[in-house]
Amino acid sequence: MARLTRAESSEQPVDLEPQLGDPLRPVTIAAIAESAGVSVPTVSKVINGRSGVAAQTRARVEAAINQHGYRRSSPAARSNMMELVFDEIEDMWGVQIIRGVERVARQHGVGVILTEFGPQRSAIRYWIDDTLSRRPDCLVTVAQLDDEQRNQLRARGIPFVVFDPTVELPDDVPFVGATNWAGGRSAARHLIGLGHRRIAMIAAPEGILCCRARLDGYRAACDGAGLSGDLIVRAELSREGGETAALDLLNRPDRPTAIFAANDLQALGVYHAARRLGMRIPSDLSVVGFDDLPLADLVDPPLTTVHQPLTEMAVTATELALALGRGERASQVGLELGTTLKIRQSTAPPGTSG
């Protein structure tokens, strides 16, 4: 892969070429700095999409560049590398995403750089500078980037696609997600159809967009059936979080006969809680999860869950990112793949024990 070097001289244009005007008198980075009232290093950071520039200052420099009638040079030669970015690679959920990305990358002859920030979110600051330097053809990001980081990637000409966004995105940010609202509704409707009336939901912490849609779908199904839809406990999206929340619900005097968990790991925690209390699934308690991870078919009894097509979502996100990296226009900015309910042996009509 070609090695990219940064411009050394502050008196030479960096990643700029004239659109109009006399080519014998190119505008230097120093002239841009003088026009914007900032330092030469600040202009260099803006031109190269680097961090450490306040939003207002960045906008002023961009305005000066546009005022002088210049544009950034065409993107560098393709690196035949793309990047897949995680906050943390979470067990089987992350593995399915990696599998989908690598499948498409292999078909296109593109290498994959895998990045994981880990629990220290501050590491993203160092990652963005490294990514801007190595300049992959495109990104698929499971990690949720903020406005500044997305603008830095755009400034450097690196297209990206957000995988399963957990926060609201601007209208122009490409993403691939799933029909989470429909999935939540189908889970609750299934339990209602079995005759359950006290249906609890273990929801995710506040602020996770996809899980909020699952909760809204659950509430919509309960409202449609004349049920309250307010038997809700929030917990982390983990086995431990699901177990703690389930113990809370199942120790109440009027405990639920069914629990819908926001993901399969929480549902696994519900299994642990039920067994600690001597309850049997599904005769004493029906359980539904979300994601359809491989563990769903391995637990006893096999878990009824909403299938989220993670590998197919990753395939779609990678195809879109590579197309953007080739300079193609996206026919659709946001794509949502359908979810389906997988009915197994963890659900049954209430009161079937004995």
Side-chain angles (χ1 to χ4, degrees), residues 44-349:
S44 180
K45 286 181 179 180
V46 172
I47 290 172
N48 291 290
R50 303 183 74 81
S51 58
V53 180
Q56 289 183 339
T57 303
R58 187 180 298 275
R60 195 162 71 248
V61 173
E62 293 281 4
I65 292 171
N66 294 332
Q67 178 186 347
H68 282 276
Y70 278 73
R71 61 180 172 87
R72 292 174 176 81
S73 62
S74 301
R78 288 174 57 82
S79 66
N80 281 328
M81 297 293 294
M82 64 166 293
E83 193 156 347
L84 174 59
V85 185
F86 286 89
D87 281 314
E88 292 185 81
I89 300 175
E90 300 177 7
D91 305 316
M92 291 169 282
W93 189 83
V95 170
Q96 291 189 79
I97 297 169
I98 294 169
R99 182 179 294 126
V101 171
E102 288 188 333
R103 179 191 302 173
V104 177
R106 188 164 52 248
Q107 291 171 351
H108 288 268
V110 174
V112 179
I113 300 168
L114 180 61
T115 297
E116 181 185 23
F117 300 143
Q120 299 299 322
R121 179 72 180 172
S122 59
I124 194 170
R125 181 181 59 191
Y126 304 103
W127 163 77
I128 194 78
D129 286 345
D130 288 344
T131 297
L132 296 173
S133 296
R134 58 179 169 261
R135 204 165 185 169
D137 294 335
C138 61
L139 295 176
V140 172
T141 176
V142 184
Q144 306 301 309
L145 308 180
D146 61 26
D147 287 341
E148 181 181 359
Q149 291 145 6
R150 292 194 294 265
N151 288 336
Q152 288 177 266
L153 292 171
R154 287 193 185 100
R156 198 60 172 161
I158 302 173
F160 58 90
V161 175
V162 178
F163 183 94
D164 199 20
T166 63
V167 297
E168 293 284 356
L169 295 173
D171 292 339
D172 62 345
V173 174
F175 73 90
V176 174
T179 55
N180 289 287
W181 184 89
R185 184 180 61 171
S186 68
R189 279 184 168 181
H190 170 63
L191 294 169
I192 292 167
L194 290 172
H196 292 276
R197 292 297 176 266
R198 296 193 305 280
I199 303 169
M201 180 170 181
I202 302 176
E206 292 277 5
I208 301 178
L209 183 65
C210 55
C211 292
R212 187 173 74 207
R214 298 170 194 178
L215 174 59
D216 289 343
Y218 153 84
R219 283 174 166 153
C222 290
D223 288 345
L227 304 178
S228 65
D230 60 0
L231 191 53
I232 299 163
V233 175
R234 294 190 179 273
E236 294 297 325
L237 294 167
S238 63
R239 183 194 65 77
E240 295 80 8
E243 182 172 1
T244 300
L247 287 171
D248 175 1
L249 290 164
L250 296 174
N251 279 308
R252 298 181 182 185
D254 193 20
R255 68 190 183 193
T257 61
I259 295 178
F260 168 40
N263 74 350
D264 288 347
L265 293 179
Q266 284 185 342
L268 182 60
V270 177
Y271 274 49
H272 282 240
R275 285 170 182 154
R276 283 178 59 179
L277 297 174
M279 299 176 67
R280 291 174 295 174
I281 298 173
S283 54
D284 298 317
L285 177 71
S286 286
V287 183
V288 180
F290 202 110
D291 282 338
D292 196 22
L293 298 178
L295 67 84
D297 213 16
L298 300 176
V299 294
D300 183 25
L303 175 67
T304 295
T305 186
V306 178
H307 174 74
Q308 182 175 211
L310 292 170
T311 299
E312 292 82 358
M313 290 162 62
V315 165
T316 303
T318 307
E319 291 280 12
L320 177 56
L322 289 173
L324 294 173
R326 294 190 296 268
E328 299 174 16
R329 294 181 70 98
S331 59
Q332 194 172 347
V333 174
L335 298 168
E336 288 190 338
L337 276 62
T339 54
T340 53
L341 183 67
K342 296 288 187 180
I343 300 175
R344 298 191 178 95
Q345 286 76 55
S346 68
T347 52

